[in-house]
Amino acid sequence: GMLPPGTLMAMPGLESLDLTQTGCAMFPLEVLSLQGLRMLRLGSNKLSQVPPDVGRALVRLEELDLSNNDLNSVPAELSLLAATLRTLQLDGNPLRTLRRSILDRGTPAVLAYLKDRMPQ
């Protein structure tokens, strides 16, 4: 269920990537080279962490689906995407840091919460 190494590096103009239900247990770091990416779907996998660099590398990201994974937390750096990110889906994760009340208020509330947790 994994892409052959180098596959994504050869597609720098990619805007949309759907890796839903592909059995990913590790965040595919090659994705970080796709700086034009607008939509990234990683729902229904086995991800236990998301690299902080997502917030620095994927500067055009509008939709990020991380639902139904094994995430205990998400990096505060995702708040760096606040200017573009309209949809952040986190349902179905054993999140310890984000309370349901924050999630229920939607993506802007989640990003604001994460921004407060950014290292100074």
Side-chain angles (χ1 to χ4, degrees), residues 13-66:
L14 203 65
E15 290 194 358
S16 173
L17 183 60
D18 190 345
L19 296 172
T20 304
Q21 283 187 311
T22 47
C24 281
M26 295 280 293
F27 188 94
L29 291 177
E30 274 189 57
V31 167
L32 299 177
S33 67
L34 302 174
Q35 297 186 346
L37 206 61
R38 293 176 188 278
M39 186 193 82
L40 177 57
R41 293 190 172 149
L42 283 162
S44 301
N45 283 299
K46 301 179 179 74
L47 299 178
S48 59
Q49 55 189 25
V50 175
D53 285 344
V54 168
R56 298 196 179 91
L58 301 179
V59 294
R60 294 189 176 87
L61 205 61
E62 296 169 11
E63 178 183 335
L64 177 57
D65 182 359
L66 295 168

Side-chain angles (χ1 to χ4, degrees), residues 44-120:
S44 301
N45 283 299
K46 301 179 179 74
L47 299 178
S48 59
Q49 55 189 25
V50 175
D53 285 344
V54 168
R56 298 196 179 91
L58 301 179
V59 294
R60 294 189 176 87
L61 205 61
E62 296 169 11
E63 178 183 335
L64 177 57
D65 182 359
L66 295 168
S67 61
N68 301 309
N69 277 286
D70 298 324
L71 300 171
N72 291 320
S73 65
V74 289
E77 286 81 0
L78 287 183
S79 65
L80 298 171
L81 300 173
T84 57
L85 195 64
R86 292 199 295 267
T87 307
L88 174 60
Q89 292 170 289
L90 294 170
D91 282 339
N93 284 291
L95 293 167
R96 298 210 180 100
T97 45
L98 278 160
R99 289 191 304 280
R100 182 81 245 171
S101 58
I102 298 167
L103 289 173
D104 284 345
R105 297 206 322 261
T107 300
V110 172
L111 293 175
Y113 172 88
L114 291 173
K115 187 174 186 218
D116 284 344
R117 269 142 194 79
M118 276 290 282
Q120 295 304 319

